Amino acid sequence: MKSSENSPSRLARWILLPCFACLATLSCPAQVVPVADAATLAKYDLNKNGKLDPDELAALQADQAKAAKTPVASADTEKDNAVVQLSPFEVNSSQDRGYMATSSMSGTRLNSKLDDLAASITVVTKQQLIDTAAVDINDIFSYEANTEGMNQYTEFSLDGGAYNETTTQNPQSSNRIRGLAGAANMAVDNFTASSTIPIDSYNIDTVEISRGPNANIFGLGGGSGTVNLVTAQANLTRETTQLTMRGDSYGGWRTNIDLSRPIIKNKLAVRIAGVHEEKGFERQPSQDDTNRLTAAFTARPFKGTTIRGTFESYRDVFSRPN
C-alpha cells in the first residue's frame, strides 16, 4: 500500500509541467516576416493575400542573394568591353601611336599585323612625317633603311662619254630601294599610280615601304620595292582643321590647309586639303611653283557598306637650275 505523502508532490508535477512547456514555447524566437513594400508585393505576392508566404519569401531571398553576388557593370566598363570590328580591307591610321604602326596592307593586300608578315615592310606614320618635316619622297627616304633619295643618290647617264646628271631635273624619280636601279614602284591606296606625280605629305596619313620582289603583289613588276601611299580620308564622326606654314633660307615658302567635316554624322563626310609651295633656289633665276588640291568624301549608307571617293588636281610650273 502506497503512502499518501507523495500525493502533493505528484499533484505539483502535473500542474507545473504544462506551465514549463508554455514558458519554453514562449522563449523560442518566432520567424519574423519582413514587411514588404508595394513594389515587392506586386512582384512576389502571387496569391494576392497582402503578405509574403514562406514560398514567396524564399523567392525574394533567393533573388536578393543572387543580386549581391553579381557585380554592377558601369557604363564605362561596358564601353571598354565592347567588341570593335575592323575592316580587313582598310588600315585604320588612328590606331598608330607616335612612330609605331601595327598593321599594313602592303604584305597581303589585307589589313594584316606587321608581326605576322615575313617581309621587310616599314610604315611611316603621320606623326613621323610631321616631326621630320617630310614633304616628298626624298625627305622620307632620308630616314629609312635600304632607301635612297636625292639627298643620298645621284642619277646620271652617259651619252657618248658625256656625263649627264638628271637628278635635279626629275627629283621625284631620283630614288632607289635596295641599291637597285630604277625608281621605286608607286601605289596609292593599293592601286598602281604614276611616279611622275610626286609624293606630297599634305594628303597622306601613312607611307608603306615594301622592299624586295614581294612588292610584285601590287602587279607593278619591279623587284626593288614599292611605296604605297595611304591617303587621308574624310572622318564621319568628328571635325578636324589644320593649317601649316613653313619657309626656307632661300626664300621659298609653303602653306597648306586640311579640313574634314561630317555633313551627316556617321553617314556622310567631306574633306578638302590644299597646298601651295614655291621652292627657293640659290641659283637665280629659278622657280618651282606647285599647287595641289584634294577633295574626298566618305559615305556609309548602310552599316556594312562604305563608299569613298577622291579627286586630286596637280599643277607644277618649274624652271629648275642644272
Side-chain angles (χ1 to χ4, degrees):
M1 182 176 180
K2 294 183 179 180
S3 173
S4 60
E5 293 176 358
N6 295 330
S7 296
S9 61
R10 187 181 297 112
L11 180 60
R13 286 197 300 268
W14 284 106
I15 295 175
L16 294 178
L17 283 176
C19 295
F20 287 131
C22 292
L23 291 174
T25 303
L26 293 174
S27 63
C28 293
Q31 184 177 8
V32 178
V33 178
V35 179
D37 55 17
T40 304
L41 285 175
K43 182 177 181 180
Y44 294 99
D45 187 14
L46 302 180
N47 55 11
K48 305 302 180 183
N49 61 352
K51 63 179 182 179
L52 295 180
D53 296 331
D55 55 340
E56 297 168 346
L57 182 62
L60 172 61
Q61 293 174 345
D63 290 346
Q64 291 176 343
K66 183 178 179 181
K69 294 181 180 179
T70 304
V72 179
S74 62
D76 294 337
T77 303
E78 293 178 355
K79 183 178 180 180
D80 294 340
N81 294 334
V83 178
V84 179
Q85 184 176 1
L86 300 178
S87 170
F89 305 105
E90 176 187 0
V91 175
N92 190 353
S93 61
S94 62
Q95 293 184 314
D96 299 341
R97 295 292 181 269
Y99 294 178
M100 185 183 70
T102 58
S103 60
S104 170
M105 293 185 65
S106 293
T108 62
R109 276 192 176 273
L110 296 177
N111 186 7
S112 305
K113 291 184 178 180
L114 290 172
D115 295 342
D116 300 333
L117 299 176
S120 178
I121 298 176
T122 299
V123 179
V124 183
T125 64
K126 186 68 172 180
Q127 188 62 51
Q128 183 174 344
L129 293 174
I130 294 174
D131 291 351
T132 58
V135 172
D136 55 23
I137 191 171
N138 299 299
D139 297 333
I140 297 171
F141 277 12
S142 295
Y143 299 96
E144 304 305 323
N146 285 343
T147 59
E148 295 173 288
M150 196 174 69
N151 299 326
Q152 305 95 358
Y153 168 61
T154 300
E155 188 179 64
F156 67 92
S157 63
L158 295 176
D159 184 9
Y163 173 84
N164 295 323
E165 186 270 326
T166 58
T167 299
T168 55
Q169 296 301 319
N170 193 18
Q172 64 267 20
S173 297
S174 300
N175 60 76
R176 60 182 181 176
I177 299 178
R178 300 200 307 151
L180 300 180
N185 303 320
M186 295 299 303
V188 176
D189 292 327
N190 303 309
F191 290 96
T192 304
S194 174
S195 59
T196 59
I197 300 178
I199 294 176
D200 196 296
S201 59
Y202 84 103
N203 64 345
I204 297 174
D205 273 339
T206 56
V207 179
E208 301 174 345
I209 303 174
S210 177
R211 303 172 183 83
N214 57 304
N216 292 342
I217 194 171
F218 292 97
L220 301 180
S224 60
T226 294
V227 177
N228 179 45
L229 308 178
V230 181
T231 57
Q233 303 292 340
N235 195 309
L236 290 170
T237 58
R238 62 187 179 91
E239 297 183 0
T240 58
T241 302
Q242 184 179 30
L243 177 63
T244 306
M245 300 183 68
R246 59 181 283 181
D248 63 39
S249 57
Y250 296 119
W253 60 282
R254 170 187 172 95
T255 179
N256 68 278
I257 187 171
D258 188 356
L259 303 174
S260 180
R261 295 292 185 270
I263 306 302
I264 304 175
K265 191 172 184 180
N266 297 322
K267 292 293 184 180
L268 178 64
V270 295
R271 185 167 186 168
I272 303 294
V275 62
H276 174 77
E277 181 178 19
E278 296 183 9
K279 288 185 172 68
F281 297 95
E282 186 175 7
R283 297 181 182 179
Q284 297 295 336
S286 301
Q287 72 171 123
D288 189 346
D289 300 341
T290 302
N291 290 284
R292 300 180 70 160
L293 176 68
T294 296
F297 76 90
T298 302
R300 186 171 294 164
F302 310 105
K303 184 177 180 180
T305 304
T306 302
I307 302 173
R308 291 188 174 91
T310 303
F311 169 81
E312 182 175 9
S313 172
Y314 167 62
R315 297 287 186 272
D316 188 10
V317 179
F318 63 89
S319 177
R320 303 186 185 102
N322 55 24

